[in-house]
Amino acid sequence: MPLLRRVILEHLKSLLPYRKQLGRAVRRSEPRTPERMEAIARERLWHLNGMEAVNSLYEFGVGEDGISLLSFLASGIPNIYASDISRMLDLSALNTYAQYMHLPGFPADSIAHLGELGIQYAAPARTVDHLGQFCNLDLICSTAVAEHIPEAELRNIFQASFRALRDGGVFSIIVDYTDHWHHLDKRIPEYNFYRYSTHTWRFFQSRAMYQNRLRNSDIESIAGETGFSKEQQEITRADQRGLPAKRADCFRNYEIEDLLTARAAIKFRKPKP
């Protein structure tokens, strides 16, 4: 069973000493081409599409490469704030991408140096707590992060974001709704996780690969309950042939289009009084 083997392998890898350093070493051995960097930057800059002048931006779940932070910096945003649940940002990778982009002030030799360049990065930091320090932000965003956050905490992040945004501010997220075990092993179907009940699925979660399995309609409901209105949405859907013939009861009430949503980029706006 490919899924079970992959879960066991990832669990064993998570127990290795210096696993983060080993993972970074492997990724550094992969070619970092300008083309690849530009493709990632274009995705992250979607958050700015249609926005008026952005003076302050907050990104949660930056990850290791920091391309989004550099892209926002190159776009002229003067106040950039970011956080990760653990210290993930790799300065070596960040400096490599900054060199491609010919950004002044780099290489950065410390997180403090990033602050001098206009990027305030906090880690480890719980997003909900860190957002409590802000008010009147223009934009809060994340890319491929929401699907990894437990539902209760995600609701807390929506609420904290609503409070931290100015009236008319935007909460923008890009969500990957596919089964991420498929990313690691193509023998695992793209929507394999629809087969499992909530109880059974707990056994396939890991420290390094938590998936909440929320669908796009769930995200929209959370946003609406928080007080946001949907401003813009771009949907990518998969082929219906990818759906498993048998689905767990917890997925039987969803519309087929919802189940086939592979990716969504959504902007929610905080209404003005």
Side-chain angles (χ1 to χ4, degrees), residues 102-116:
H102 306 291
L103 288 175
F106 286 87
D109 55 15
S110 66
I111 296 298
H113 188 182
L114 288 181
E116 296 171 8

Side-chain angles (χ1 to χ4, degrees), residues 246-273:
K246 294 184 178 181
R247 297 190 290 275
D249 289 344
C250 54
F251 291 108
R252 289 185 179 176
N253 292 328
Y254 287 93
E255 298 290 339
I256 292 296
E257 287 190 350
D258 203 10
L259 293 174
L260 289 174
T261 299
R263 178 186 180 276
I266 323 169
K267 285 189 175 75
F268 300 105
R269 188 175 293 275
K270 179 179 178 178
K272 294 181 179 180

Side-chain angles (χ1 to χ4, degrees), residues 33-49 57 59 65-75 97-98 100-101 103 141 143 174 263:
T33 64
E35 292 76 18
R36 173 60 179 159
M37 185 211 72
E38 289 170 6
I40 297 173
R42 281 195 301 271
E43 178 188 45
R44 309 298 167 83
L45 286 174
W46 181 89
H47 296 297
L48 302 181
N49 288 352
L57 176 151
E59 181 180 23
D65 56 45
I67 293 179
S68 54
L69 300 179
L70 297 177
S71 301
F72 299 145
L73 187 65
S75 298
Y97 292 127
Y100 285 149
M101 300 173 74
L103 288 175
C141 63
T143 302
I174 297 174
R263 178 186 180 276

Side-chain angles (χ1 to χ4, degrees), residues 144 147-148 176-184 193 209 211:
E147 64 267 28
H148 299 296
D176 182 346
Y177 289 109
T178 60
D179 188 336
H180 285 29
W181 289 115
H182 170 77
H183 299 183
L184 298 175
F193 56 18
M209 181 71 84
Q211 301 173 79

